[in-house]
Amino acid sequence: VPLDFWETARQKLDLVKNDLFWLGETEDINYHQVFDATYAWELLHMLEAINKGISHIADLERVLNKYATRFPGDAIRLAFTSNHDENSHSGSEYERMGHLVKPFAILTATWKNCMPLVYSGQELPNKKRLKFFDKDEIEWTGTNWLHHFYKTILTLHQTNKALHAGNPSTIKRIKTPADDKVFAFTRQAEKDQVIIILNLSSQHIPALTIDNFSINGKYKSAFSGIEHNLTGPQTFEMLAWDYLVYHRTVK
């Protein structure tokens, strides 16, 4: 639908109800003149390419840098590992992303200006392709194995100001001795801070030493709830496809 239609539509609707949230199923930068958020398809396809070994962390950085420099500063990107179209046409996230499903889900919920989308059944997890037009029910078992995982990252996204999409925040890559395998970064807004460390490889890293933390102090592990003092050089053990999420929320 041409952009000028939406420009007129928003002008008229804002006069009646100006608190609507506008989500555009497009990745055309120009549509952010009207829409609050658009789909981050290029990021999705990059994540799939990394799983296949076609692309690497440097390619991921290129896409994220494009989002940061070419899109408006308050442009929200709807980020996801699966949705109705992708599941039916291309397969579940497990077909497309393999063991990287969890690290990539964390990335879509924590990168700057990303708003995470969760598709029905991911908390199960549902690993089958659902029919696109015919009724095809999710096979609920009564046990949602990933309920805690998704609840944790979505709650953190909601409660920690550093992760709020569209709000001013700083983001900084953390350099590691294994930057060809590990993607790490920090987010900060006011006094709220988050540290994300993702092992995007099949290799076990027994001692990952990071000595350039720009954020020091006591942080809580999002998944274990254990408090850690991250002041000074830190050494982490990371299993294959592992993820570490630390946060500090100031009330």
Side-chain angles (χ1 to χ4, degrees):
V1 178
L3 180 58
D4 59 358
F5 168 86
W6 295 114
E7 290 174 333
T8 301
R10 178 140 200 183
Q11 289 170 6
K12 292 188 175 183
L13 283 170
D14 279 351
L15 294 174
V16 181
K17 188 171 179 60
N18 62 6
D19 59 350
L20 296 175
F21 181 81
W22 287 63
L23 169 62
E25 193 172 356
T26 178
E27 201 157 22
D28 186 328
I29 296 172
N30 294 314
Y31 277 67
H32 276 283
Q33 297 175 46
V34 175
F35 290 88
D36 300 300
T38 57
Y39 281 62
W41 277 303
E42 188 172 0
L43 174 59
L44 171 74
H45 298 317
M46 177 55 65
L47 302 182
E48 294 170 343
I50 289 174
N51 177 58
K52 294 176 182 177
I54 299 172
S55 298
H56 306 281
I57 287 179
D59 303 301
L60 173 62
E61 289 181 308
R62 175 181 52 77
V63 171
L64 296 175
N65 184 61
K66 174 184 175 181
Y67 285 171
T69 58
R70 295 184 58 187
F71 281 76
D74 61 350
I76 298 173
R77 312 310 318 287
L78 188 72
F80 48 94
T81 56
S82 189
N83 62 27
H84 184 55
D85 292 359
E86 299 299 332
N87 172 276
S88 297
H89 292 162
S90 304
S92 76
E93 63 270 33
Y94 294 90
E95 291 182 68
R96 295 177 287 103
M97 298 180 186
H99 295 288
L100 285 167
V101 167
K102 284 186 176 181
F104 284 160
I106 291 172
L107 179 63
T108 61
T110 57
W111 190 257
K112 186 175 175 65
N113 279 353
C114 280
M115 176 178 288
L117 176 154
V118 177
Y119 179 49
S120 296
Q122 285 191 284
E123 72 273 37
L124 186 58
N126 171 55
K127 295 185 178 181
K128 75 170 186 176
R129 299 189 184 198
L130 299 173
K131 295 177 182 178
F132 195 70
F133 293 108
D134 301 324
K135 183 176 181 179
D136 189 7
E137 295 184 353
I138 296 170
E139 298 172 357
W140 298 106
T141 63
T143 302
N144 299 321
W145 294 104
L146 296 185
H147 172 265
H148 175 71
F149 172 79
Y150 282 104
K151 181 178 180 179
T152 297
I153 59 175
L154 293 177
T155 300
L156 185 63
H157 183 275
Q158 181 184 30
T159 58
N160 193 289
K161 294 176 183 176
L163 299 181
H164 290 179
N167 286 352
S169 66
T170 59
I171 187 165
K172 182 179 179 181
R173 278 296 311 279
I174 299 174
K175 293 298 181 181
T176 77
D179 271 355
D180 59 328
K181 305 176 185 68
V182 173
F183 188 79
F185 59 95
T186 66
R187 296 282 309 276
Q188 181 172 356
E190 300 175 14
K191 294 183 179 180
D192 284 9
Q193 300 150 354
V194 175
I195 298 170
I196 310 292
I197 307 173
L198 308 174
N199 182 6
L200 304 184
S201 78
S202 60
Q203 297 183 29
H204 171 213
I205 305 175
L208 179 72
T209 300
I210 301 177
D211 59 8
N212 61 346
F213 272 112
S214 59
I215 302 174
N216 297 319
K218 291 184 178 179
Y219 292 81
K220 183 179 289 187
S221 168
F223 289 97
S224 71
I226 299 173
E227 240 185 27
H228 299 266
N229 188 348
L230 299 182
T231 301
Q234 299 290 321
T235 299
F236 305 91
E237 178 182 6
M238 300 202 76
L239 302 177
W241 326 113
D242 206 356
Y243 49 88
L244 300 172
V245 179
Y246 300 100
H247 66 98
R248 182 167 65 190
T249 304
V250 179
K251 300 298 183 181

